[in-house]
Amino acid sequence: MNCIAQMLRRTLGAPALALCLAVAPMPALSATVFFGADGPLQTANSEAAFADWSAAVGSFTLDNLDTLFGSPLTSGEGNVFTGGTSLFSGFQNPAPGVLETTHLTAFLTSGRSFTWTLAEAVTAFGFFGFDPDGEDVRFSFDDGSAKSFTRGTVAGSQGSIFFGVTDLATPVSSVDIFAASTVTDWDRFVYVTAPPQVIPLPPTAFLLLGGLGALGLVKWRRA
């Protein structure tokens, strides 16, 4: 029982206590997924999914992958990529859209998966994939409950995808990425850093506290 409920029981009795306990936090939002997949040399669907994601989040950070080789890789923002025996970043060829950065090429002969561990917890994230060869891709994370999303891609080489998530129940600090295709390039990792956590009192709590203060003043005057 919280301190407000204890004060109400002593001052106003059980009815007020019931009112206090009825003040509950708002339910957490479910994760919203943005996904687009294109065939060979096409980008319209993946770019549209990214545009919808970016419109939903507003401002975001583009993860700067310096030219690195090996596993793990640490980006310019302090985010770490760990996975197979050969992870490296290199300069992306002219890519569609407005974002240009180095990219992570994942030659993952063991498991074909890697983990993106973020230096700070995030409330939204996304990334592009190139050349999934029509194979399934899977993205997993835990925002208070384990979540895993498997999506199909379009057959043929040099296709592209975008996967993004918003409205996480709680901020996440890592994402597991899997591609059934042996070689998939991952590019343009974007994310929104979680703001400092502030837990405000609900409006009803302020009314209850004000009522307690008034009752205390009345009792003081009667004494």
Side-chain angles (χ1 to χ4, degrees), residues 109-146:
T109 57
S110 176
R112 301 173 185 171
S113 63
F114 66 95
T115 299
W116 178 25
T117 302
L118 293 118
E120 298 180 87
V122 300
T123 56
F125 64 84
F127 38 79
F128 282 83
F130 294 94
D131 211 11
D133 290 336
E135 302 287 349
D136 285 351
V137 288
R138 184 176 67 245
F139 314 103
S140 306
F141 57 90
D142 192 323
D143 67 341
S145 63

Side-chain angles (χ1 to χ4, degrees), residues 5 10 40 48 51 57 65 69 81 93 95 103 118 120 140 145 152 165 179 210:
R10 296 192 191 104
V57 302
L65 287 171
F69 182 87
F81 298 80
N93 293 326
H103 66 166
L118 293 118
E120 298 180 87
S140 306
S145 63
V165 177

Side-chain angles (χ1 to χ4, degrees), residues 16-95:
L17 174 61
L19 176 61
C20 178
L21 294 180
V23 179
M26 294 183 64
L29 298 173
S30 299
T32 301
V33 174
F34 299 80
F35 182 77
D38 294 282
L41 303 176
Q42 302 296 314
T43 61
N45 294 329
S46 52
E47 290 290 347
F50 167 67
D52 290 341
W53 179 90
S54 60
V57 302
S59 60
F60 56 85
T61 299
L62 174 65
D63 199 1
N64 176 28
L65 287 171
D66 299 326
T67 303
L68 301 166
F69 182 87
S71 182
L73 302 178
T74 301
S75 74
E77 280 65 45
N79 301 323
V80 179
F81 298 80
T82 53
T85 57
S86 181
L87 288 173
F88 68 88
S89 62
F91 290 105
Q92 167 68 31
N93 293 326

